[in-house]
């Protein structure tokens, strides 16, 4: 191979390296979109679940409070449990946001962070729906029969566990 061909081959190799370096920077910027969407999904869906659980349970507490105002403080438990769901989204969002780096991010990380956010967010949304429905019916039933409180408490714990499972798996996926 003569020197002219060697020069052309060297030029092509350098061009390919520059193209790959530019593509990696572009991919890091585009891949970070999925990471930020994971943050958004975790926070928004967890807060939607928490808001629904709080609102639905709050309606039941207000209705029950008319009949038995002495049970209001005891009946606030579903509202507290629904509020915890928003904290799950906050935790997941902070963990994911610390892993997004401008020049060291790829599509694999972006997709895994999106999956982590969806896992935590949608699990907490489901948990919030369950807490809201059980909390509303449970506090109203508790006003009529106080022995139902322990059963309501157990159901609320199992509903909250759904959101906790999503948080744990979301953290595992984001690593």
């Amino acid at each position: 191979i003569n020197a002219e061909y060697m020069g052309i081959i060297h030029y092509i190799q350098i061009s390919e390296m520059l193209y790959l370096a530019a593509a990696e920077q572009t991919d890091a910027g585009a891949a970070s979109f999925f990471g930020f969407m994971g943050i958004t999904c975790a926070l928004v869906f967890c807060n939607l679940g928490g808001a629904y659980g709080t609102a639905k349970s709050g309606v039941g507490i207000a209705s029950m409070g008319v009949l038995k105002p002495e049970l209001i403080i005891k009946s606030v438990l579903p509202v507290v449990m629904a509020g915890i769901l928003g904290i799950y989204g906050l935790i997941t969002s902070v963990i994911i946001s610390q892993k997004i780096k401008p020049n060291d991010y790829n599509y694999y990380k972006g997709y895994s962070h999106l999956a982590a956010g969806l896992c935590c967010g949608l699990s907490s949304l489901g948990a919030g729906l369950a807490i809201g429905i059980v909390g509303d019916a449970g506090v109203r039933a508790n006003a009529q029969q106080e022995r139902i409180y322990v059963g309501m408490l157990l159901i609320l714990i199992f509903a909250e566990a759904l959101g906790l499972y999503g948080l744990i798996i979301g953290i595992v996926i984001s690593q």
Side-chain angles (χ1 to χ4, degrees), residues 54-146:
T54 299
K56 186 82 168 151
S57 297
V59 168
I61 292 168
S63 176
M64 181 274 312
V66 173
L67 301 173
K68 293 206 173 177
E70 66 274 6
L71 293 178
I72 290 177
I73 296 300
K74 189 177 178 182
S75 299
V76 172
L77 182 67
V79 173
V80 172
M81 293 180 84
I84 292 171
L85 297 174
I87 296 171
Y88 293 166
L90 179 65
I91 292 168
T92 303
S93 296
V94 168
I95 288 171
I96 293 172
S97 69
Q98 290 177 344
K99 296 182 184 293
I100 298 176
K101 305 285 189 260
N103 294 325
D104 182 30
Y105 203 73
N106 56 34
Y107 281 107
Y108 179 81
K109 290 179 184 176
Y111 294 147
S112 73
H113 292 158
L114 176 61
L118 284 170
C119 184
C120 179
L122 293 177
S123 294
S124 292
L125 178 61
L129 293 172
I131 289 170
I133 293 167
V134 170
D136 181 27
V139 296
R140 290 174 195 245
N142 187 44
Q144 296 176 2
Q145 176 56 261
E146 290 191 29

Side-chain angles (χ1 to χ4, degrees), residues 1 6 18 20 25 44-48 50 60-61 65-67 70 74 78 104 106 122 144 148 168:
I1 300 177
M6 290 298 287
L18 290 173
L20 291 175
Q25 285 184 340
V44 168
F45 290 138
C46 285
N47 285 333
L48 281 173
I61 292 168
V66 173
L67 301 173
E70 66 274 6
K74 189 177 178 182
D104 182 30
N106 56 34
L122 293 177
Q144 296 176 2
I148 205 161
I168 292 168

